[in-house]
């Protein structure tokens, strides 16, 4: 890789006086060279600050060789034209580059591209950085999935989990339905804990039950119709959590397909990660894909983006989230329970919510008539509005649901400009 002009680097920033810190603690030796700086023991790293002269680049006295414990601080350095930052690739494999300026990591200029290739770029916010005392591992993860007695879906989910993620992670499945020998054998076959609850107990109550059964550090929430493949890069997601201790929830992206055998070229990205534009009583949310992207890289191929709502494929820090009292509202059995959870979580201000490209999963949307009937109940939207005292709820550019003067809800779909009036079923809860 060539040299990077510091003048070019600083042109990416908003403040010409800023710098960055290179943390050598994460550096691993790629090739040792006993002839170079032999007095230093352990992994070495050399950063050279050069000055271009009339006869080409010539080294100045700004040259450093690191041990793993050393830190090279450029935050006080004032660049001048011709200064060049270069890395001795023969000596080391690049480790971590820690910058307090996240726009460096998302720059589309050659300097930004070089920084992403140079190392893993993180942007610690609120003082957080790569400070985990014990790196997270697969043994710290427990999957929690809820099903409405959909045996085939759960079987495919468990088979894919064990095939791709291995046997270290724990798995808990909550079945809304009676205990049968078939479910017991399925749990035994895939080393999963199977808990049964009443039929139509609801997603919220069932998830709360599954989380209460979990003893590991991370809860990996999934739906029963997921199919895991190699695009679920769980180790990369754990690295993000290690480097960003204030991320409470790290979600992924669903790739919708109509059947288990659907080819990848027919997958449709759901993209259900949302930023909050305004809060209660008039909640407005925007999909990440519809606004300016702000990607933060943890390594050259993995990034995350801050948001407020992620899909049901997410890692939760158990103590930080559920230990602080977060839970799903058991009055909301399905549909609105998801948004209610994240709106309440946002008001608790216990940590960041983010989505990463390291977590992708196929969402096999096989729905029988019984499941569809359970899902399409509108009363839970009314409870959602009442419980949070909402006047309107909007996903920008897609749809808006608002209270009508006669007590009904008016639902406008922007795509076809069609308004549907929704009435609370008679005899429902108030």
């Amino acid at each position: 890789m060539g040299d990077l002009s510091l003048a070019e680097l600083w042109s990416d920033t908003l403040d010409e006086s800023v710098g960055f810190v290179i943390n050598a603690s994460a550096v691993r030796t790629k090739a040792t060279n006993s002839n170079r700086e032999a007095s230093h023991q352990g992994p070495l790293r050399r950063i050279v600050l050069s000055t271009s002269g009339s006869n080409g680049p010539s080294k100045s006295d700004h040259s450093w060789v690191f041990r793993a414990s050393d830190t090279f601080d450029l935050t006080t350095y004032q660049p001048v034209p011709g200064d060049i930052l270069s890395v001795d690739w023969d000596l080391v494999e690049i480790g971590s580059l820690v910058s307090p300026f996240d726009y460096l990591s998302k720059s589309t200029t050659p300097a930004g591209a070089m920084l992403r290739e140079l190392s893993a770029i993180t942007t610690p916010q609120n003082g957080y950085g790569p400070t985990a005392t014990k790196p997270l591992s697969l043994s710290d993860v427990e999957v929690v999935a809820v099903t409405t007695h959909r045996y085939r879906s759960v079987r495919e989910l468990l088979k894919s989990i064990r095939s791709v993620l291995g046997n270290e992670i724990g798995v808990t499945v909550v079945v809304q339905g009676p205990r049968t020998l078939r479910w017991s054998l399925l749990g035994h076959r895939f080393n999963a804990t199977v808990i049964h609850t009443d039929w139509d107990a609801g997603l919220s109550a069932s998830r709360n039950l599954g989380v209460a059964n979990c003893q590991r550090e991370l809860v990996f929430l999934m739906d029963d119709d997921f199919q895991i493949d190699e695009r679920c890069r769980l180790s990369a997601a754990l690295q993000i959590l290690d480097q960003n201790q204030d991320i409470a929830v790290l979600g992924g992206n669903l790739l919708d397909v109509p059947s288990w055998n659907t080819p990848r070229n027919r997958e449709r990205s759901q993209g259900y990660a949302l930023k909050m534009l305004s809060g209660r009583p008039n909640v407005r949310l925007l999909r990440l894909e519809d606004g300016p992207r702000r990607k933060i890289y943890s390594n050259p191929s993995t990034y995350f983006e801050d948001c407020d709502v992620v899909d049901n494929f997410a890692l939760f820090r158990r103590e930080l989230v559920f230990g602080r009292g977060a839970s799903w509202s058991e009055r909301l059995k399905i549909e609105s329970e998801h948004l209610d959870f994240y709106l309440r979580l946002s008001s608790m201000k216990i940590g960041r919510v983010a989505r990463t490209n390291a977590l992708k999963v196929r969402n096999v949307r096989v729905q029988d008539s019984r499941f569809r009937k359970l899902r399409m109940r509108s009363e839970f939207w009314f409870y959602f509005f009442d419980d949070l005292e909402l006047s309107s709820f909007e996903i920008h550019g897609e749809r808006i649901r608002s209270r009508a003067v006669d007590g009904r809800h008016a639902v406008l779909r922007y795509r076809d400009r069609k308004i549907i009036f929704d009435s609370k079923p008679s005899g429902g809860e108030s």
Side-chain angles (χ1 to χ4, degrees):
M1 188 173 75
D3 293 337
L4 171 64
S5 166
L6 287 181
E8 180 183 14
L9 170 64
W10 259 262
S11 70
D12 281 348
T13 68
L14 303 181
D15 182 350
E16 292 186 355
S17 67
V18 301
F20 56 90
V21 177
I22 298 176
N23 184 349
S25 62
V27 173
R28 294 170 295 174
T29 301
K30 182 177 181 182
T32 58
N33 187 333
S34 58
N35 296 324
R36 179 181 290 142
E37 299 291 341
S39 61
H40 286 283
Q41 301 298 317
L44 302 180
R45 181 179 188 178
R46 190 157 69 108
I47 304 296
V48 180
L49 194 62
S50 306
T51 302
S52 297
S54 58
N55 296 322
S58 61
K59 290 184 180 179
S60 69
D61 58 354
H62 299 294
S63 180
W64 297 267
V65 178
F66 290 112
R67 290 167 298 182
S69 60
D70 293 337
T71 297
F72 171 54
D73 190 345
L74 273 177
T75 53
T76 59
Y77 177 75
Q78 298 296 320
V80 297
D83 281 353
I84 292 174
L85 176 69
S86 64
V87 178
D88 190 334
W89 287 94
D90 294 331
L91 187 62
V92 296
E93 177 180 346
I94 297 305
S96 115
L97 174 64
V98 181
S99 168
F101 307 101
D102 58 14
Y103 39 78
L104 291 178
S105 68
K106 66 180 190 299
S107 169
T108 58
T109 66
M114 184 174 180
L115 283 173
R116 290 192 291 275
E117 184 179 350
L118 177 69
S119 70
I121 297 177
T122 61
T123 54
Q125 298 182 15
N126 303 324
Y128 290 89
T131 58
T133 55
K134 180 182 75 70
L136 292 165
S137 67
L138 297 182
S139 62
D140 295 313
V141 179
E142 174 127 13
V143 171
V144 173
V146 174
T147 183
T148 52
H149 219 268
R150 298 200 294 178
Y151 177 87
R152 168 74 189 278
S153 294
V154 175
R155 186 185 68 188
E156 295 296 329
L157 170 64
L158 296 181
K159 182 167 65 174
S160 67
I161 288 174
R162 292 307 182 202
S163 174
V164 177
L165 302 180
N167 295 315
E168 285 189 66
I169 70 172
V171 179
T172 295
V173 178
V174 181
V175 180
Q176 297 180 68
R179 186 183 306 275
T180 64
L181 178 61
R182 185 168 70 160
W183 282 110
S184 298
L185 292 175
L186 186 68
H188 179 75
R189 176 184 174 186
F190 293 107
N191 190 26
T193 300
V194 179
I195 302 173
H196 291 265
T197 187
D198 294 337
W199 170 251
D200 194 27
L203 286 175
S204 294
S206 300
R207 285 178 184 147
N208 290 338
L209 180 61
V211 169
N213 183 74
C214 178
Q215 299 300 315
R216 303 200 187 193
E217 189 169 346
L218 298 176
V219 174
F220 198 173
L221 183 68
M222 297 189 189
D223 286 344
D224 62 354
D225 53 2
F226 289 170
Q227 188 177 32
I228 308 295
D229 59 30
E230 77 282 357
R231 291 170 292 181
C232 176
R233 297 183 291 120
L234 184 53
S235 294
L238 297 182
Q239 181 186 45
I240 292 175
L241 292 175
D242 278 333
Q243 295 175 347
N244 299 270
Q245 295 292 301
D246 60 337
I247 291 183
V249 184
L250 183 64
N253 191 31
L254 307 190
L255 306 171
D256 290 348
V257 291
S259 73
W260 289 280
N261 299 318
T262 301
R264 290 190 178 184
N265 60 5
R266 291 184 57 195
E267 294 173 344
R268 184 177 63 85
S269 175
Q270 191 170 122
Y272 197 73
L274 306 170
K275 286 284 292 183
M276 191 179 302
L277 301 179
S278 63
R280 293 182 269 179
N282 297 296
V283 175
R284 295 181 68 230
L285 299 170
L286 175 72
R287 289 185 185 266
L288 288 184
E289 287 78 5
D290 294 337
R293 304 295 292 273
R294 189 167 172 269
K295 300 177 181 179
I296 304 169
Y297 283 80
S298 63
N299 63 49
S301 62
T302 304
Y303 63 84
F304 65 92
E305 302 171 82
D306 287 308
C307 55
D308 296 291
V309 180
V310 292
D311 224 317
N312 290 327
F313 188 56
L315 292 161
F316 295 75
R317 295 189 193 269
R318 183 170 61 89
E319 286 299 326
L320 181 59
V321 178
F322 306 109
R324 301 279 186 91
S327 65
W328 285 271
S329 172
E330 299 190 4
R331 187 161 108 113
L332 309 177
K333 291 186 175 183
I334 200 166
E335 280 290 281
S336 58
E337 93 294 338
H338 183 77
L339 292 163
D340 177 88
F341 176 89
Y342 282 100
L343 290 179
R344 293 180 186 274
L345 184 68
S346 177
S347 66
M348 294 174 68
K349 301 186 184 304
I350 60 176
R352 294 154 66 193
V353 176
R355 184 186 68 179
T356 176
N357 68 333
L359 297 176
K360 295 182 181 180
V361 65
R362 282 165 65 92
N363 184 29
V364 185
R365 302 181 70 85
V366 177
Q367 300 180 5
D368 56 30
S369 58
R370 183 171 62 168
F371 177 79
R372 193 174 296 109
K373 184 177 180 181
L374 284 175
R375 188 180 182 95
M376 301 307 293
R377 290 175 287 180
S378 63
E379 62 259 38
F380 302 117
W381 285 107
F382 286 86
Y383 305 157
F384 168 59
F385 265 61
D386 291 343
D387 293 348
L388 296 183
E389 299 180 338
L390 299 183
S391 297
S392 65
F393 172 83
E394 177 183 12
I395 297 180
H396 183 75
E398 295 185 24
R399 65 183 184 275
I400 181 171
R401 176 183 283 264
S402 57
R403 294 180 186 269
V405 292
D406 58 2
R408 295 183 297 172
H409 283 185
V411 183
L412 169 62
R413 297 186 309 200
Y414 292 125
R415 182 179 66 253
D416 53 14
R417 310 301 297 178
K418 182 177 182 180
I419 298 178
I420 300 172
F421 285 95
D422 203 359
S423 300
K424 182 185 295 187
S426 59
E429 296 181 48
S430 58

